[in-house]
Amino acid sequence: EDLEEAAIFGQAALTLGPKVRLTLGGRYFVTDAKTTSRIFTYSPSPVYAGTVTHKGFAPKVNLEYRASNDAVFYLQAAEGYRSGGANTTAAPTDVFNAPSGKAPFRLYQGDELWSFEAGGRLSMLDHHLTLRFAAFDARWKNIQSDQLLASGLPYTANIGDGRNRGFEAEGAYHQGAVVVRGNVLINAPELDLPNLAYPLRADLALAGAPDFSAALSLHDAWALAGDRSLEVDGRYSYIGPSHLTFDAAVSPKMGGYGVGRLALSLVDPHWRATLALDNPDNARADTFAYGNPFTLRTVRQSTPLRPITLSLTLRWVFD
């Protein structure tokens, strides 16, 4: 495959007042992907040769209001593209068809993502507390997704149009050696216009995208004699449930678990000794239920969480 790409891009910022700034930008691009492919098995297949051309303009608009040095609010809209291409890898029993035929198709289209976002950044309590938050709406057209052929080999398909709306926030609090951090994501991913050429799940949620996730961490430290210190760290994170794929026949569940870590460290300018307990409640779940694609339809596969683990590590820094 030979890929030729050309693009021109830029942006300009306009000051609309002492507190308002408008930024306009964009990128115009052209890509040509020239593919030549032949599969050799017991006998060579016919040569496939084709060119896929994709071009477009991706704009970006950002309106920022700086209420003060500690409070900034913004509105943003941006578009992104991903080029299309050709499927070539297949077993002798797999056949790629023209768009007017039956899936799987030889060619797949480029996909397009529009994202709209409104949010802000705040600094409070004499800069001890910082917050960032945003509400968003992302619209995804002609979603490119990896699907499996009957042989188990992957190919790329456009499985439809999707959308995701939600809210995210993160914050950090600093007070001396104490640092508390947290984040949360609430969203509603959905495949709202599926491509009927592919058998998809009934729930039509976006693959690998949970509705909810959150994390919280705490760090503290105490000074000891001889430039040494004692540090304690704790964290807990939760990943909501989702499905690995869009495939109606093969759609393993993943996520739906919480996992934590507790650690105590003795720190010297030259070394660090850490005693840690990971997954203290011994949670069990699939973190990414995918392994061998050739047996995915016949054998249950999972990537489990690391079980409860007590560890002692020593790290030395050489000058």
Side-chain angles (χ1 to χ4, degrees), residues 82 108-113 139-147 156-163 190-193 195 198 206 246:
R82 183 165 47 176
Y108 56 92
Q109 302 176 47
D111 52 1
E112 171 189 353
L113 179 68
R139 303 180 184 185
W140 199 357
K141 185 178 180 181
N142 289 331
I143 298 173
Q144 292 181 13
S145 172
D146 286 341
Q147 304 291 306
T156 302
N158 298 104
I159 50 88
D161 299 345
R163 186 176 187 180
E190 60 179 344
L191 190 67
D192 53 5
L193 188 62
N195 186 340
Y198 301 96
L206 294 180
F246 292 100

Side-chain angles (χ1 to χ4, degrees), residues 8-19:
I8 182 171
F9 53 90
Q11 69 177 31
L14 307 173
T15 301
L16 303 181
K19 296 183 177 182

Side-chain angles (χ1 to χ4, degrees), residues 98-177:
S100 58
K102 183 180 178 181
F105 301 124
R106 170 69 73 182
L107 302 179
Y108 56 92
Q109 302 176 47
D111 52 1
E112 171 189 353
L113 179 68
W114 265 106
S115 64
F116 305 91
E117 186 173 314
R121 301 180 295 274
L122 302 175
S123 179
M124 299 181 292
L125 303 180
D126 196 23
H127 300 287
H128 290 295
L129 176 64
T130 56
L131 297 174
R132 187 191 68 83
F133 56 90
F136 59 86
D137 184 356
R139 303 180 184 185
W140 199 357
K141 185 178 180 181
N142 289 331
I143 298 173
Q144 292 181 13
S145 172
D146 286 341
Q147 304 291 306
L148 293 179
L149 297 166
S151 61
L153 291 169
Y155 72 101
T156 302
N158 298 104
I159 50 88
D161 299 345
R163 186 176 187 180
N164 189 19
R165 291 163 288 181
F167 175 81
E168 62 179 347
E170 63 181 15
Y173 176 79
H174 301 256
Q175 182 67 53

Side-chain angles (χ1 to χ4, degrees), residues 190-191 201-205 243:
E190 60 179 344
L191 190 67
R201 294 194 321 268
D203 63 356
L204 300 181
H243 288 271

Side-chain angles (χ1 to χ4, degrees), residues 1-277:
E1 183 176 68
D2 293 326
L3 178 64
E4 297 179 358
E5 183 174 16
I8 182 171
F9 53 90
Q11 69 177 31
L14 307 173
T15 301
L16 303 181
K19 296 183 177 182
V20 181
R21 183 173 65 177
L22 176 65
T23 302
L24 302 173
R27 180 178 185 270
Y28 179 79
F29 65 92
V30 179
T31 61
D32 281 314
K34 300 177 181 178
T35 303
T36 303
S37 172
R38 169 174 282 179
I39 299 173
F40 290 87
T41 53
Y42 298 105
S43 60
S45 68
V47 174
Y48 167 77
T51 300
V52 176
T53 300
H54 190 68
K55 56 185 176 182
F57 177 73
K60 178 180 179 180
V61 180
N62 181 281
L63 181 64
E64 181 180 279
Y65 173 69
R66 184 173 293 273
S68 68
N69 290 333
D70 298 329
V72 178
F73 304 94
Y74 68 91
L75 296 171
Q76 179 173 285
E79 185 184 22
Y81 286 94
R82 183 165 47 176
S83 299
N87 291 304
T88 58
T89 303
T93 54
D94 298 324
V95 178
F96 291 121
N97 298 308
S100 58
K102 183 180 178 181
F105 301 124
R106 170 69 73 182
L107 302 179
Y108 56 92
Q109 302 176 47
D111 52 1
E112 171 189 353
L113 179 68
W114 265 106
S115 64
F116 305 91
E117 186 173 314
R121 301 180 295 274
L122 302 175
S123 179
M124 299 181 292
L125 303 180
D126 196 23
H127 300 287
H128 290 295
L129 176 64
T130 56
L131 297 174
R132 187 191 68 83
F133 56 90
F136 59 86
D137 184 356
R139 303 180 184 185
W140 199 357
K141 185 178 180 181
N142 289 331
I143 298 173
Q144 292 181 13
S145 172
D146 286 341
Q147 304 291 306
L148 293 179
L149 297 166
S151 61
L153 291 169
Y155 72 101
T156 302
N158 298 104
I159 50 88
D161 299 345
R163 186 176 187 180
N164 189 19
R165 291 163 288 181
F167 175 81
E168 62 179 347
E170 63 181 15
Y173 176 79
H174 301 256
Q175 182 67 53
V178 176
V179 181
V180 181
R181 300 182 185 275
N183 63 74
V184 62
L185 171 64
I186 304 170
N187 58 176
E190 60 179 344
L191 190 67
D192 53 5
L193 188 62
N195 186 340
L196 299 181
Y198 301 96
L200 304 176
R201 294 194 321 268
D203 63 356
L204 300 181
L206 294 180
D211 292 339
F212 178 81
S213 62
L216 181 67
S217 66
L218 169 67
H219 171 86
D220 201 358
W222 297 269
L224 302 177
D227 293 331
R228 293 176 182 172
S229 62
L230 185 67
E231 298 182 359
V232 61
D233 290 276
R235 69 170 182 259
Y236 180 83
S237 59
Y238 174 79
I239 304 295
S242 63
H243 288 271
L244 174 64
T245 69
F246 292 100
D247 195 325
V250 185
S251 187
K253 289 186 177 180
M254 54 189 285
Y257 63 87
V259 63
R261 173 182 170 87
L262 299 171
L264 183 67
S265 300
L266 182 61
V267 181
D268 181 89
H270 300 287
W271 53 265
R272 172 189 288 263
T274 301
L275 179 66
L277 181 65

